[in-house]
Amino acid sequence: MTVDVIIPTCQPGPELLQLLQSLLEQTIRPNKIILMNTLTDGMDRRRFDEYYRISDNISITHIEPSEFDHATTRNQGAKQSSADYMLFCTQDAVPANNQLIEKLLLHHNEEVVLSYARQIGDPQYPIESLSREFNYPPYSQIKREKDKEQLGIKTIFSSNVCALYNWKVFWELNGFSDHNIFNEDMLYAYCVIKSGYAIAYESEAVVKHSHNYGSKKIFHRFFDQGVSQYMNQAIFKQFSSMNEGKKQAYFILKSLWERKEFLNIFRFLGQSFAKVVGYQLGLHHRSLPTKWCKKLSMNKNFFKE
């Protein structure tokens, strides 16, 4: 049994080196670690390679910003793998211990072909930390298509911030759907359950992963979310998401109130407003000029003049 790791990178912070070092110390050591690095102005390829190739099993592919696409870039990395399983990670997701891969493999069998890890937020960012706590509870779960009435959108919730894929089934289902601005992991998860397979959420596989996004960046992110849901409305309309959003908002507000973090309550309300406005504009992006879409999106290269 072999596992390759695929990590898209772009101007990585110190977490990437921590991630690489942790992967090399796992109880099940990766066969190969594949970095798909998006170049930025002034980046020295040679220095990047020297700094991050800390082991002989790390390979690095550089791409231009115009070539980057959340799905396509990951598929390009996957094409460099011939392992039994592929672990997709983001550059800022750091394993909490050396059993991450071992735990993610626990439920894989002929039915379960995708598993994803629990994400723990940094307590210094309370809103983000509570959001992670809501979305990644301390209990594991197997999800199948028959669960969609009960689970709604959570049925196909899966995050390739840290997720393990069966290589054979990944290509059987044609990998991630190319040229999707967002949600490539959930769209693939939909293909998994529609094909009769199952998804495992493994709460004992843990990564530390946090963002400290302000309202502006959240707006851009949810604009892309709206674009994605418009482009894939035939899929997303099959799953109820409104109740889940309300539950999450209530959980965060209640927790902040109990902690008497009143300033963070106002921050959360501002962020929620940014989410709603960004999402609605994304849903209606076809009515906007392309140059506006570029300004409103986190993924500006997605929109072509």
Side-chain angles (χ1 to χ4, degrees):
M1 177 190 64
T2 54
V3 177
D4 285 344
V5 183
I6 298 156
I7 309 170
T9 64
C10 181
Q11 293 183 307
E15 296 87 359
L16 177 57
L17 200 55
Q18 296 171 36
L19 168 58
L20 294 174
Q21 290 168 338
S22 180
L23 289 171
L24 295 171
E25 295 169 359
Q26 291 290 305
T27 54
I28 296 178
R29 195 174 189 269
N31 179 58
K32 182 162 51 170
I33 300 173
I34 301 161
L35 303 186
M36 299 295 297
N37 181 58
T38 302
L39 294 165
T40 54
D41 290 341
M43 177 176 284
D44 186 321
R45 298 186 188 206
R46 182 176 175 181
R47 288 185 66 185
F48 184 97
D49 293 356
E50 289 175 350
Y51 189 72
Y52 290 110
R53 191 174 283 124
I54 60 174
S55 172
D56 291 341
N57 67 338
I58 295 177
S59 71
I60 301 172
T61 299
H62 296 284
I63 63 172
E64 296 296 329
S66 59
E67 298 176 271
F68 176 80
D69 176 271
H70 284 289
T72 306
T73 301
R74 286 175 168 84
N75 285 340
Q76 289 171 343
K79 287 175 182 176
Q80 297 183 35
S81 170
S82 58
D84 300 310
Y85 299 93
M86 297 180 295
L87 176 64
F88 286 91
C89 291
T90 56
Q91 65 186 27
D92 56 352
V94 180
N97 54 50
N98 67 349
Q99 297 179 311
L100 176 72
I101 297 176
E102 178 183 336
K103 296 294 185 182
L104 283 171
L105 279 166
L106 277 177
H107 298 288
H108 274 258
N109 52 37
E110 291 185 357
E111 182 190 22
V112 176
V113 297
L114 165 60
S115 61
Y116 65 101
R118 184 182 184 189
Q119 297 180 33
I120 301 293
D122 190 328
Q124 71 174 312
Y125 309 130
I127 297 171
E128 175 79 1
S129 184
L130 286 168
S131 177
R132 295 274 187 261
E133 187 178 334
F134 179 83
N135 286 321
Y136 302 93
Y139 54 84
S140 300
Q141 187 178 33
I142 306 292
K143 300 182 291 187
R144 303 171 177 86
E145 185 180 19
K146 66 182 179 63
D147 298 317
K148 72 178 183 179
E149 291 301 319
Q150 177 188 353
L151 298 178
I153 195 67
K154 278 291 183 71
T155 313
I156 59 169
F157 181 77
S158 170
S159 174
N160 61 20
V161 162
C162 183
L164 188 74
Y165 295 71
N166 179 300
W167 183 93
K168 181 180 178 182
V169 175
F170 183 82
W171 290 118
E172 176 187 306
L173 300 179
N174 298 314
F176 295 118
S177 177
D178 282 336
H179 200 56
N180 262 297
I181 191 169
F182 206 61
N183 289 324
E184 74 287 342
D185 42 13
M186 291 181 69
L187 294 170
Y188 178 81
Y190 172 78
C191 294
V192 166
I193 65 163
K194 287 299 290 183
S195 300
Y197 296 113
I199 301 164
Y201 164 60
E202 180 47 66
S203 64
E204 292 187 9
V206 181
V207 292
K208 300 173 184 177
H209 178 243
S210 284
H211 294 134
N212 186 28
Y213 288 160
S215 294
K216 183 178 179 181
K217 200 156 189 178
I218 287 171
F219 172 90
H220 292 315
R221 185 177 178 85
F222 274 79
F223 176 82
D224 290 353
Q225 178 79 265
V227 172
S228 172
Q229 296 215 6
Y230 174 84
M231 291 177 61
N232 300 283
Q233 53 191 297
I235 292 174
F236 285 106
K237 282 184 177 179
Q238 298 179 42
F239 301 89
S240 170
S241 60
M242 185 66 71
N243 287 339
E244 198 64 26
K246 289 178 179 177
K247 286 179 188 176
Q248 183 179 28
Y250 176 77
F251 172 78
I252 292 173
L253 284 170
K254 180 174 180 288
S255 299
L256 292 173
W257 181 267
E258 290 173 349
R259 298 178 186 181
K260 296 183 170 55
E261 296 187 22
F262 303 120
L263 181 58
N264 279 322
I265 289 175
F266 286 108
R267 285 177 179 149
F268 176 70
L269 293 174
Q271 291 178 6
S272 298
F273 179 74
K275 288 180 182 180
V276 171
V277 175
Y279 176 72
Q280 288 299 322
L281 284 171
L283 282 179
H284 299 91
H285 73 282
R286 295 290 294 273
S287 302
L288 302 174
T290 302
K291 64 179 180 180
W292 287 24
C293 292
K294 281 180 171 288
K295 289 181 179 178
L296 298 175
S297 172
M298 284 184 75
N299 299 283
K300 302 183 188 307
N301 289 325
F302 180 83
F303 299 94
K304 308 299 181 184
E305 298 285 359

